[in-house]
């Protein structure tokens, strides 16, 4: 909020930087006590929107909703700084304090509207906290802000969504059935459309990519910020605290497993190479749609041990298919912490489905590699939460736009059925050895057409530990 009164206050030196804050070279908050952070959150001179967003996104790491409300109520009733003389104190009370109070009410409204749903657990403590907040709001003088805050608090108490807010997302579904715009490309349909009659090689690779993208975007769009915090996706109760991340990981694993199973299902060499080539075309079509998650999943299936060891099969893959595969491998190379992929993602404009595993890995490294408190001052290490919020913001950025594609229920039903056919990896290995017994092809390939990218899927392996 830009207000001429704020400049007037700044000129009169009535308001100083909160004591107990440490700033970095860019004058961003690096660390601070909880009281100082709340003071900065409601500073009358300056609305630091970035700081406020980071604070409200990650506050559950260093405080609770109950304590936050208590601190904000206390801040609303704050006294003038002790170093002001009586005249300056009176000036502060008439100029600075009203703006602080506006900031407090704005912060509470923002918290309830945009951050409360996924940060505050349901239970008696949360309910009691809302009742205390409601009592505080009722005692305020009537104003637009007070009325809005009263309505927001009441809606939260009775479990209603305030008007204008984004509706809560339902549980993930593997079938995308929402209508698409009339500008969506016309589906490329096979002749036989019954799910039990569909054959993988006879379905256009672009249409497979489109339907996979619709199905995956349906899950990705439901991921909530709290699912990405506190390493919730790794917890045993992840089904309750990170259901959409868990569903996305499951989709990734199923797609990767389906790739391997379909390749190994072919007993003859030529059809096996055709399946590999078709999956390469699907991966390229997913790349064109900026569905990088599916690209990585398909590559993971192709580089899985049972498929990768098929030297005779890979030797027969056409040069054209190999030429299509190499850029995808290069894009997802793990070198320099996936720098090539990160650069591509940085330039990507939604709609886009990123490979979530790298974000999950980043969040784990941020949490585990940065202390909660600064070593010397023992202040809240706000830099840690800035990095965390930045990662979560990136995920939310790619959730903003929907794909303009037309769902084909028959194809999605076929794909969902195929993906849900879990195949034991041990059985796949046995099948691989049956197709190409161990021998000279394991030791040396006549033409090494496929090079595994090493740690490409390490992040998703970490994310999937909960399923083991």
């Amino acid at each position: 909020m830009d207000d001429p009164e704020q400049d007037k206050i700044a000129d009169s030196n009535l308001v100083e930087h909160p004591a107990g804050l440490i700033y970095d070279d860019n004058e961003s908050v690096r660390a601070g006590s909880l009281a100082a952070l709340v003071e900065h959150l409601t500073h009358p001179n300056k609305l630091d929107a970035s700081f406020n967003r980071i604070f409200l996104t990650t506050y559950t790491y260093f405080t609770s909703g109950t304590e936050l409300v208590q601190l904000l109520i206390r801040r609303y009733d704050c006294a003038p700084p002790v170093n002001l003389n009586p005249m300056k104190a009176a000036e502060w009370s008439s100029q600075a304090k009203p703006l602080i109070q506006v900031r407090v009410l704005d912060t509470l409204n923002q918290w309830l509207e945009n951050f409360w749903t996924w940060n505050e657990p349901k239970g008696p403590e949360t309910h009691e906290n809302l009742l205390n907040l409601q009592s505080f709001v009722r005692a305020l003088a009537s104003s637009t802000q007070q009325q809005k805050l009263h309505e927001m608090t009441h809606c939260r108490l009775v479990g209603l969504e305030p008007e204008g807010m984004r509706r809560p997302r339902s549980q993930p579904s593997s079938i995308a059935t929402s209508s698409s715009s009339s500008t969506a490309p016309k589906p490329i349909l096979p002749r036989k459309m019954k799910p039990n009659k569909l054959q993988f090689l006879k379905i256009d690779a672009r249409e497979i990519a489109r339907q996979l993208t619709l199905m995956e975007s349906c899950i990705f769009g439901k991921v909530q910020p709290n699912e990405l915090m506190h390493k919730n996706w790794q917890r045993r109760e992840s089904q309750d605290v990170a259901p959409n991340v868990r569903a996305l990981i499951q989709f990734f694993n199923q797609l990767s497993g389906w790739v391997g199973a379909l390749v190994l299902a072919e007993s003859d060499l030529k059809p096996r190479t055709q399946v590999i080539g078709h999956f390469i075309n699907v991966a390229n079509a997913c790349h064109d749609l900026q569905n990088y998650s599916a690209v990585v999943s398909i590559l993971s299936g192709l580089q899985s041990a049972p498929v990768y060891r098929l030297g005779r099969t890979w030797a027969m893959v056409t040069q054209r298919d190999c030429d299509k595969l190499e850029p995808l491998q290069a894009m997802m190379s793990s070198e320099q912490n996936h720098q090539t992929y990160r650069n591509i993602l940085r330039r990507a404009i939604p709609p886009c489905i990123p490979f979530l595993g790298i974000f999950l890995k980043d969040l784990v490294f941020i949490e585990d590699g940065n202390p909660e408190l600064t070593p010397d001052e023992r202040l809240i290490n706000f830099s840690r939460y800035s990095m965390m919020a930045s990662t979560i913001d990136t995920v939310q950025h790619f959730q903003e736009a929907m794909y303009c594609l037309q769902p084909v229920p028959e194809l999605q039903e076929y794909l969902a059925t195929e993906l849900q056919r879990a195949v034991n990896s041990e059985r796949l290995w046995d099948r691989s050895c049956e197709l190409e017994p161990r021998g000279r092809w394991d030791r040396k390939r006549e033409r090494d057409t496929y090079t595994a990218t090493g740690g490409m899927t390490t992040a998703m392996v970490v994310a999937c530990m909960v399923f083991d």
Side-chain angles (χ1 to χ4, degrees), residues 310-374:
L310 298 175
R312 194 155 53 95
T313 301
W314 281 105
M316 295 300 294
V317 174
T318 67
Q319 188 61 50
R320 181 180 179 183
D321 287 335
C322 293
D323 291 341
K324 293 178 183 177
L325 182 61
E326 287 175 4
L328 299 180
Q329 290 178 265
M331 179 187 73
M332 295 313 306
S333 168
S334 60
E335 291 183 6
Q336 297 182 324
N337 195 20
H338 305 272
Q339 191 59 52
T340 301
Y341 166 70
R342 291 180 189 274
N343 290 338
I344 290 172
L345 199 62
R346 198 172 292 116
R347 298 190 296 268
I349 300 173
C352 171
I353 305 176
F355 172 45
L356 194 66
I358 289 180
F359 291 122
L360 300 182
K361 183 184 72 171
D362 289 347
L363 289 167
V364 169
F365 283 177
I366 292 169
E367 285 203 43
D368 293 349
N370 296 274
E372 296 179 4
L373 302 176
T374 55

Side-chain angles (χ1 to χ4, degrees), residues 42 46 62 83 112 124 231 234 263 282 329 384 460:
T42 56
K46 177 185 177 183
F62 48 84
N83 60 336
L112 286 173
K231 294 185 278 192
Q234 290 185 351
V263 171
V282 173
Q329 290 178 265
R384 180 183 195 243
M460 190 52 76

Side-chain angles (χ1 to χ4, degrees), residues 261-281:
L262 218 56
V263 171
L264 295 167
E266 297 292 347
S267 299
D268 296 331
L269 183 62
K270 185 176 180 181
R272 208 154 54 239
T273 60
Q274 288 174 337
V275 170
I276 289 175
H278 205 47
F279 269 123
I280 292 172
N281 289 333

